[in-house]
Amino acid sequence: MELASYSDYAVRLVNTEEPARGRDSLTTVESVRELFGDSAQAARRATDADVTRFRSVRARLRAVFEAADAGDETLTVDLLNSLLLEFPVSPQISGHDIRDEDGRPDWHMHLADHPSNATAGFAAIAAMGLAFHLTTHGADRLGLCEAAPCRNAYLDTSTNRSRRYCSDRCATRANVAAYRARKRLAVERSAETRRTADAAQASSAKGER
């Protein structure tokens, strides 16, 4: 797994909660294990105690996204550095069984998986992945969905730094809401114009008498 892909760990964990909707899917050890994806060995280490620990890390990762979304790069980096210090990683060069066209191993950086508990392992991976994404693309590439009340976290990988929503669904919903708002405003302005015209006409008629 390449370092860039580790940033998805942070997004997956943060998005297990939707504060504005009062939803939280991180309630059981099974939900914790699901966050590890294909990493079955790491998932097996999870226990009931990790539910609370994961929620604590989740709050801290959300704070990183909130700081980035607010444009406070210094706070974003400080919060992320705090996680990196608390949950250090053990990098190693890995080739797995992948070979290039010349038959040589496809060497790449990998994070060793031998933490003290499931939370420590996941937090280290998520924080390192997010740090790699930030230093490669910039703090402004960490965002929170603008489609209220969603506020899910996302990583902007667009070429023109234009992403504002966590998914196509939220983008469509926001665009529809904006369209309806414009239509309402147009109707209100038209009605106000008619009222003004009617009042002017009535006043003119009264003056002619």
Side-chain angles (χ1 to χ4, degrees):
M1 183 181 294
E2 296 182 358
L3 291 181
S5 63
Y6 285 123
S7 56
D8 289 335
Y9 277 59
V11 174
R12 290 207 301 270
L13 177 54
V14 170
N15 291 346
T16 59
E17 181 183 30
E18 296 180 80
R21 291 190 172 110
R23 297 176 185 172
D24 188 347
S25 62
L26 190 60
T27 57
T28 65
V29 65
E30 286 75 20
S31 60
V32 168
R33 288 171 179 160
E34 288 175 1
L35 288 169
F36 284 93
D38 297 331
S39 184
Q41 181 179 352
R44 281 195 294 269
R45 279 199 301 270
T47 67
D48 289 330
D50 284 300
V51 176
T52 300
R53 290 195 289 254
F54 261 67
R55 285 180 169 181
S56 176
V57 172
R58 178 181 65 187
R60 294 171 66 183
L61 285 171
R62 176 168 283 278
V64 172
F65 279 93
E66 288 174 342
D69 190 63
D72 192 336
E73 292 192 13
T74 299
L75 179 58
T76 302
V77 171
D78 287 345
L79 292 171
L80 195 47
N81 273 336
S82 177
L83 283 163
L84 290 169
L85 287 171
E86 185 172 345
F87 302 104
V89 298
S90 300
Q92 63 182 26
I93 299 173
S94 175
H96 299 298
D97 296 322
I98 303 174
R99 301 281 172 170
D100 62 19
E101 58 184 15
D102 295 322
R104 295 174 301 188
D106 182 17
W107 300 116
H108 60 276
M109 292 301 298
H110 184 82
L111 301 185
D113 184 25
H114 50 78
S116 57
N117 59 62
T119 302
F122 193 97
I125 291 172
M128 185 62 196
L130 212 52
F132 182 81
H133 190 90
L134 185 151
T135 54
T136 302
H137 304 290
D140 60 338
R141 292 299 188 115
L142 279 60
L144 292 174
C145 186
E146 292 185 14
C150 179
R151 304 300 284 167
N152 270 349
Y154 66 82
L155 299 172
D156 185 0
T157 56
S158 64
T159 56
N160 57 355
R161 300 174 181 266
S162 61
R163 186 169 178 178
R164 298 164 55 199
Y165 307 104
C166 68
S167 64
D168 290 340
R169 180 182 178 182
C170 276
T172 299
R173 183 162 54 86
N175 289 334
V176 169
Y179 172 76
R180 288 174 177 170
R182 289 194 299 271
K183 291 287 286 184
R184 284 196 301 270
L185 181 59
V187 170
E188 291 170 0
R189 285 177 174 172
S190 179
E192 180 62 28
T193 298
R194 285 197 301 271
R195 285 194 295 270
T196 301
D198 291 344
Q201 185 176 5
S203 177
S204 176
K206 184 178 180 181
E208 290 175 357
R209 295 187 193 133

